[in-house]
Amino acid sequence: MLRKSSIAASFLASFAISHAEIGVEPVAKGFERPVWAGVPKGVKGKLWVMEQGGKVWIVDEKTGERGSEPFLDVSQDVTRKGNEEGLLGLAFAADFEKTGRFYVNYTDKEKQTRIVRFVSKDKKTTDASTGEVILKYPSEFENHNGGWLDFGPDGMLYIGNGDGGAGDDPNKRGQALDSLLGKILRIDVSPETGYKVPSDNPFVSDKEVKPEIWAYGVRNPWRCSFDRETGDFWIGDVGQNRWEEINYMPKGKGAGANYGWRLREADKENPKKDVGGPLPEGAIDPVYSYDHGMKDNEGLSVTGGYVYRGPVKELQGRYVFGDYQNPRIWSFELKNGKATGFKDHTKALQPEGGRINLISSFAEDNDGNLYIVDHRGPVYKIVER
């Protein structure tokens, strides 16, 4: 039989757990325009943080200290003339711990997007001169470069491309299948050099279409992700005139999907005169969209996130995302293809004595923990207090 003190202690413990609050803890700070963070498979206790200007640092999560020299420095090859240009994305090969292979996405001095393969021999530093450019294509203006890339559950490398820039996709790249812009690409990088086009890509048999295209009709996919448990695919696509959107595709689906841009903005006709149009046949509407503004449920530039699979109970199974310019952090659950149970976590997820200013990216580690990257310099981890 339990003593009263034991019963009381047990009750207080269960009360504390049921009323646990979420919050953030600082991981590291002082980065110059950080835009991405991540971890290779099998690694714990470290975080790789990318600066837009061209450097990637390895950070000790416990101390917040970074290495004495960058893991990668391609600043000599990267242009930062445009606000959205720079080093924008990184993907570790699944066997990085063995091979040291990883891939980056950046805009070069000639205003072209480059997808580059590197090999880090010691897994701590990288000789930037040894990079192999496996794919290169023009970025027509100084914005909408996308920049995300990652490996899907099928082992293929997926790449998120913006529509080439300016406003309302003036060159109509989003719907044009002879251009890599405004697309999600899918390539096989298993060869020692170069890449292969997967034989099951949706347009490989059409000579008029770029065979690397997996899906199209996106404007500026700023942060996509694969659910680490289900393999489902999520896209945060930045809007223009009125709406921001989150797109979703179940694992194994989405080959040849059309997300509607430039004819559509979210699930509405583009309001720009002589630009918008009806939903193309078979096109996919977003699972969630929000209006432009600065209210609690509004914003101006979506930052896509992740389905949370970490230890914080309140967030488990929920898609966590945010807005860059109205720095808010939200989540919802997807049930029967619809976003439900929308929550605003902005107030809870603020650092003690400060605030998160510009949410440039979210990040995920091998335990499913999520991190928030603030473009002004710091990186935070979401925790249960």
Side-chain angles (χ1 to χ4, degrees), residues 227-230 307-311 315-318 364 367-370:
D227 185 333
R228 65 187 297 113
E229 285 193 8
T230 66
V307 175
Y308 187 84
R309 300 299 183 184
L315 298 177
Q316 287 172 354
R318 302 179 65 83
E364 183 183 47
D367 291 322
N369 290 296
L370 287 192

Side-chain angles (χ1 to χ4, degrees), residues 154-227:
D154 55 4
M156 301 298 149
L157 184 66
Y158 290 75
I159 303 164
N161 280 343
D163 63 10
D168 283 304
D169 191 8
N171 294 327
K172 303 180 182 180
R173 300 304 189 195
Q175 295 295 310
L177 294 176
D178 60 351
S179 169
L180 297 179
L181 300 176
K183 311 296 189 298
I184 304 296
L185 310 182
R186 178 179 182 257
I187 60 175
D188 179 354
V189 294
S190 61
E192 281 300 310
T193 60
Y195 70 92
K196 297 186 297 185
V197 173
S199 61
D200 58 346
N201 268 12
F203 303 112
V204 290
S205 61
D206 190 335
K207 294 181 179 180
E208 303 299 319
V209 178
K210 295 287 187 182
E212 295 89 352
I213 294 173
W214 176 254
Y216 62 108
V218 292
R219 180 177 179 270
N220 189 28
W222 187 250
R223 299 323 184 209
C224 311
S225 64
F226 291 97
D227 185 333

